[in-house]
């Protein structure tokens, strides 16, 4: 769906809905990781789960880049179409390519680490070990809120 004119208030509502969806997914991941850490789950399982999640994001980025089709919920696809129209095809493709390359590099590094690390010596300290995750979560929320307000 390519529209030349977008209702900014509708886009703001869609972006707010998208932010709520993102927060629900992050809450689910946080609870899963907290459960893994608290229940004495292995560091190998925790790290492997992180690799799996990042692999899914990388695959979605590659799919979006190669096919031009947006991935996700209806809300997410509409917001991505808006961003593509707003940025223009050239800038959108450059940003999408950069994101896909970063995720691919990250997953290669994490996969190498996964198979070369000694997970037996790793101990989790709950909740301190989840603080970086929370920092990214809060930072993303602040950034998205600012971007919504700037529309």
């Amino acid at each position: 769906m390519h529209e030349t004119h977008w209702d900014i208030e509708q886009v703001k509502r869609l972006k707010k809905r998208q932010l709520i969806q993102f927060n629900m997914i992050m809450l689910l991941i946080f609870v899963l990781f907290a459960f893994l850490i608290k229940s004495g789950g292995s560091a190998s399982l925790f790290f492997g789960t992180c690799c799996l999640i990042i692999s899914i994001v990388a695959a979605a980025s590659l799919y979006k880049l190669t096919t031009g089709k947006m991935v996700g919920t209806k809300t997410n696809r509409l917001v991505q179409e808006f961003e593509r129209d707003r940025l223009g095809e050239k800038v959108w493709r450059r940003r999408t390519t950069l994101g896909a390359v970063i995720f691919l590099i990250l997953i290669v590094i994490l996969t190498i680490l996964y198979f070369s690390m000694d997970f037996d010596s790793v101990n989790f300290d709950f909740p301190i070990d989840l603080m970086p995750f929370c920092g990214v979560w809060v930072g993303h929320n602040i950034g998205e809120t600012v971007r919504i307000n700037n529309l």
Side-chain angles (χ1 to χ4, degrees):
M1 174 174 103
H2 264 333
E3 295 184 22
T4 56
H5 177 70
W6 291 87
D7 177 14
I8 296 301
E9 291 305 314
Q10 175 69 16
V11 171
K12 284 184 176 184
R13 282 191 294 279
L14 289 171
K15 285 178 93 53
K16 287 175 186 173
R17 186 180 304 157
Q18 184 185 36
L19 187 59
I20 290 169
Q21 291 171 352
F22 171 81
N23 279 305
M24 289 171 38
I25 291 169
M26 291 297 280
L27 182 61
L28 179 68
I29 292 170
F30 179 83
V31 169
L32 172 69
F33 285 164
F35 176 75
L36 277 172
I37 291 171
K38 202 72 166 143
S39 68
S42 72
S44 176
L45 179 62
F46 178 80
F47 199 80
T49 304
C50 289
C51 287
L52 178 66
I53 291 169
I54 293 171
S55 295
I56 291 169
V57 173
S61 294
L62 276 177
Y63 178 79
K64 180 171 66 170
L65 182 63
T66 57
T67 65
K69 295 179 182 176
M70 304 304 166
V71 179
T73 63
K74 183 178 179 183
T75 300
N76 189 33
R77 288 191 309 268
L78 287 170
V79 169
Q80 289 180 57
E81 284 291 336
F82 167 75
E83 290 297 327
R84 188 176 191 171
D85 284 347
R86 185 176 68 89
L87 293 172
E89 186 68 27
K90 185 177 179 181
V91 174
W92 176 84
R93 182 156 300 281
R94 191 175 4 185
R95 284 191 183 179
T96 305
T97 302
L98 180 63
V101 167
I102 288 171
F103 278 119
L104 286 174
I105 291 169
L106 183 62
I107 197 59
V108 166
I109 291 169
L110 290 177
T111 302
I112 290 169
L113 286 174
Y114 181 75
F115 287 109
S116 64
M117 280 181 64
D118 176 24
F119 288 105
D120 294 333
S121 63
V122 176
N123 293 320
F124 288 121
D125 185 19
F126 183 79
I128 300 300
D129 287 338
L130 285 177
M131 287 304 173
F133 178 85
C134 294
V136 168
W137 190 357
V138 169
H140 177 78
N141 276 293
I142 291 169
E144 280 301 310
T145 302
V146 168
R147 282 187 282 280
I148 290 170
N149 289 332
N150 287 340
L151 281 179

